[in-house]
Amino acid sequence: MAQATDPLGSSKQSIRYASVDLLRGASIVVMLVLHAVMDTLDKEYYISRLESVGIINTAALIFLPLLGGLAGLFLLTSAIGNMLGMSRNLQKGYTPYAVMRKQILGGTIIVVFAMFAEAVLGYHGGLGQLLLNLDDIGSTDYSPMYYRAFNIETLHTIGWAEILNGITHGLLAAKYDFSKSWSKLIRIYWMLAALVVALTPIIWWLSSRLIPGYPFATNPATGQPMFLPVIGTSPWSDLVMYFFVNPFAAPVEPLFPYLATSYVGSAIGLQIARDPENFDRSFVRRYFGMGIACFVVGAIGFTLLLLGVMRNAGLDEMIRQYQRIFDHRYYTSENEMPGGWFWQYLTPV
């Protein structure tokens, strides 16, 4: 490949890149702490004794689930980093289709690793079950190894988003001259993000039409929710179908609506990748303001949603529903909260 001068190497641009890495690292650390607490904190104990537990415990019940939204921040910063990498490669002389192939390969590797980690290495996978039963290894239940891979967690979403972002950016790079079309490309990514959010309920509805009872009903053949096929029990055609359907509509963090977060990250990455002479310094203030506005609107809508649950089912039920804020597919009419996914999506942004 022909090598061109890389305008991204200035010290100021390096600081911008380091800031992205810092945000990504912070979101990973907070997510790890959150998962550790979620698996060790006896939430039911504290919920049943709210009138007597300390204020720190009560605050933990409120704020720790909300921090689960930092999975969205992890996805956002990953998309920013991917866009910076694609922009570098294009400016070095790589063809758009070479960049696309690289992203598809990288995303595929992440998806495969995510499935293996979720089923085998994760705290709910085979190794996690073993560690929970070190005092009686013979009683270890290894069955999650046969279905956990199909659960769509943040790492799965990042891998699939990298694939789709790579395809999107490769096609756009083949059509537009980046040196002259930065603003237009940024607008395109914002429009794509809005389109993903608008299509989310339609995609979810289509998935339930394709697979009746999807995703929450129990599959009588496997004993698992409809979105979790079981290796060795489910037919191979189901394994193939769920491999492609789940990323779009399954719990916990489906591409609809979270591909929109990835597209927004790509728009931010395009802003950061601009050369210092054309860099728009006001974009940080604008994007930060939009993020705050999304959070406020989402928090108001989500609070009203939970208040409705409390009015209909009581305080304890409201708290239990709130504890599931990490499950970005849960707040739907199937669980008596129609449209709740939209407010839930905006809140952690």
Side-chain angles (χ1 to χ4, degrees):
M1 295 287 179
Q3 299 295 314
T5 302
D6 183 5
L8 303 178
S10 70
S11 59
K12 291 183 179 179
Q13 206 131 24
S14 298
I15 293 173
R16 292 183 225 157
Y17 291 3
S19 300
V20 173
D21 290 336
L22 179 63
L23 281 174
R24 181 158 43 187
S27 64
I28 292 173
V29 170
V30 175
M31 285 171 59
L32 289 173
V33 173
L34 174 69
H35 283 303
V37 172
M38 284 176 59
D39 278 4
T40 56
L41 181 67
D42 188 350
K43 296 184 289 293
E44 293 298 324
Y45 173 86
Y46 291 110
I47 290 174
S48 64
R49 294 167 174 79
L50 284 176
E51 70 283 352
S52 59
V53 299
I55 189 171
I56 293 179
N57 304 101
T58 304
L61 288 171
I62 296 172
F63 292 110
L64 286 176
L66 185 63
L67 291 177
L70 287 180
L73 178 61
F74 185 24
L75 174 61
L76 181 77
T77 53
S78 295
I80 295 172
N82 283 333
M83 178 55 70
L84 294 176
M86 286 189 286
S87 298
R88 274 183 177 276
N89 287 331
L90 288 169
Q91 291 178 343
K92 287 179 179 178
Y94 287 83
T95 67
Y97 297 106
V99 172
M100 184 190 301
R101 288 193 298 270
K102 183 177 180 181
Q103 291 297 112
I104 292 173
L105 176 61
T108 301
I109 292 172
I110 291 174
V111 169
V112 171
F113 175 77
M115 296 181 73
F116 176 77
E118 186 69 20
V120 179
L121 302 179
Y123 42 87
H124 293 303
L127 180 60
Q129 297 302 308
L130 176 64
L131 294 176
L132 286 173
N133 293 278
L134 291 178
D135 56 339
D136 186 11
I137 293 178
S139 66
T140 302
D141 177 15
Y142 293 104
S143 62
M145 294 178 62
Y146 299 99
Y147 58 81
R148 285 291 303 185
F150 293 90
N151 206 47
I152 303 301
E153 298 277 358
T154 303
L155 197 57
H156 298 74
T157 307
I158 288 174
W160 282 104
E162 182 172 331
I163 292 171
L164 294 177
N165 255 307
I167 294 172
T168 302
H169 202 61
L171 294 175
L172 290 175
K175 183 175 181 179
Y176 295 103
D177 181 354
F178 271 46
S179 63
K180 302 175 182 178
S181 306
W182 289 94
S183 297
K184 185 172 186 177
L185 288 167
I186 290 169
R187 287 196 300 271
I188 289 174
Y189 272 107
W190 274 102
M191 287 188 291
L192 289 173
L195 181 63
V196 169
V197 174
L199 288 176
T200 293
I202 298 173
I203 295 297
W204 290 359
W205 178 79
L206 288 174
S207 68
S208 65
R209 297 291 293 177
L210 175 66
I211 308 170
Y214 185 93
F216 297 110
T218 299
N219 187 336
T222 64
Q224 297 298 327
M226 288 300 301
F227 71 95
L228 292 177
V230 178
I231 297 172
T233 301
S234 302
W236 68 266
S237 57
D238 278 7
L239 302 181
V240 174
M241 178 175 63
Y242 284 98
F243 176 81
F244 289 105
V245 172
N246 279 3
F248 291 92
V252 165
E253 193 171 346
L255 287 169
F256 284 81
Y258 277 84
L259 181 59
T261 300
S262 185
Y263 279 146
V264 171
S266 293
I268 294 173
L270 280 171
Q271 289 277 15
I272 296 174
R274 301 185 73 168
D275 59 87
E277 290 75 17
N278 296 317
F279 181 66
D280 180 9
R281 298 180 183 278
S282 66
F283 102 92
V284 176
R285 183 174 62 255
R286 293 199 311 273
Y287 279 49
F288 183 76
M290 285 188 287
I292 293 296
C294 286
F295 179 83
V296 170
V297 171
I300 292 172
F302 193 62
T303 299
L304 293 175
L305 178 76
L306 291 176
L307 288 175
V309 173
M310 182 176 69
R311 183 172 57 252
N312 295 327
L315 177 62
D316 287 356
E317 182 60 23
M318 183 203 76
I319 295 173
R320 288 188 178 90
Q321 298 286 27
Y322 175 69
Q323 294 293 314
R324 296 199 60 156
I325 194 172
F326 67 89
D327 189 341
H328 304 288
R329 179 65 167 85
Y330 182 74
Y331 294 93
T332 62
S333 56
E334 297 153 295
N335 296 302
E336 306 302 325
M337 288 181 285
W341 68 269
F342 181 72
W343 310 116
Q344 187 270 357
Y345 174 66
L346 290 181
T347 303
V349 170

